[in-house]
Amino acid sequence: MKRQLRSGIHMRRKVYLAGPFFNPEQIRLVAMLEGLLAIKGLNVHSPRKHQSPLPFGSMGFRKQTFASDLRAIKRTDIVFAVYNDEDPGTMWEIGFSYSLGKPVILLNTKEKRLNLMIAESLHAYLNSLNQVLRYNFNRLPRIPYTGPII
């Protein structure tokens, strides 16, 4: 999971973990993925762990959160997105990441079909935690989504 710099020093690849964390089930999954991706040798940026200290929903909170997430996506090497529950914020992060040329690895363990625009934005489609464990984040093999779309 390391990339070599000109000086010969290796750095761990940075991954931005996009996904909802609004209910206990979502929080458990995102927390599990934070650990799993770190075990795979990635430097994980999870917005869940980088919340603004301002009151939730306040204008300051909104502006800080938006700016922080944008900076993190721009600085990352890979975006790992959770499609479960089709969270609109995650969908926006996928599109923004794609527009920047970032490879988007998508995990979907719930939904039966994908939105066309999301399906065509992906670098790799994974449908289980086992696939996440087996995925080579160093080589980043392409795994297209071939299922039904909406």
Side-chain angles (χ1 to χ4, degrees):
M1 285 341 113
K2 297 179 181 179
R3 54 188 168 132
Q4 188 167 357
L5 302 176
R6 287 185 199 160
S7 65
I9 298 171
H10 290 277
M11 290 185 60
R12 293 187 311 155
R13 288 188 127 169
K14 295 176 191 168
V15 63
Y16 180 93
L17 176 54
F21 47 95
F22 303 111
N23 65 46
E25 177 188 4
Q26 293 169 343
I27 292 168
R28 275 192 301 276
L29 179 58
V30 168
M32 184 185 319
L33 289 167
E34 290 164 354
L36 187 68
L37 295 170
I39 287 169
K40 294 205 46 96
L42 298 162
N43 181 359
V44 181
H45 177 93
S46 178
R48 183 180 79 88
K49 292 186 172 183
H50 297 276
Q51 293 281 314
S52 169
L54 298 173
F56 180 83
S58 69
M59 192 54 71
F61 175 91
R62 291 164 50 174
K63 294 207 176 290
Q64 271 190 1
T65 299
F66 186 77
S68 173
D69 290 355
L70 247 60
R71 267 192 315 277
I73 291 170
K74 288 177 181 177
R75 292 177 180 163
T76 198
D77 300 309
I78 303 163
V79 172
F80 186 96
V82 178
Y83 192 77
N84 294 9
D85 302 326
E86 301 173 291
D87 171 59
T90 303
M91 301 309 113
W92 187 91
E93 290 167 324
I94 290 169
F96 181 65
S97 301
Y98 177 81
S99 76
L100 294 176
K102 307 284 181 179
V104 176
I105 313 304
L106 186 120
L107 173 66
N108 176 25
T109 64
K110 275 180 135 179
E111 309 304 329
K112 301 298 182 206
R113 19 181 212 183
L114 292 188
N115 175 282
L116 164 71
M117 300 304 280
I118 300 301
E120 293 304 310
S121 300
L122 304 181
H123 184 83
Y125 177 80
L126 309 176
N127 62 14
S128 71
L129 292 173
N130 198 25
Q131 279 190 308
V132 176
L133 277 170
R134 292 192 324 258
Y135 189 77
N136 187 328
F137 286 89
N138 194 32
R139 292 201 173 119
L140 293 174
R142 286 194 179 274
I143 303 173
Y145 173 74
T146 58
I149 58 167
I150 54 172

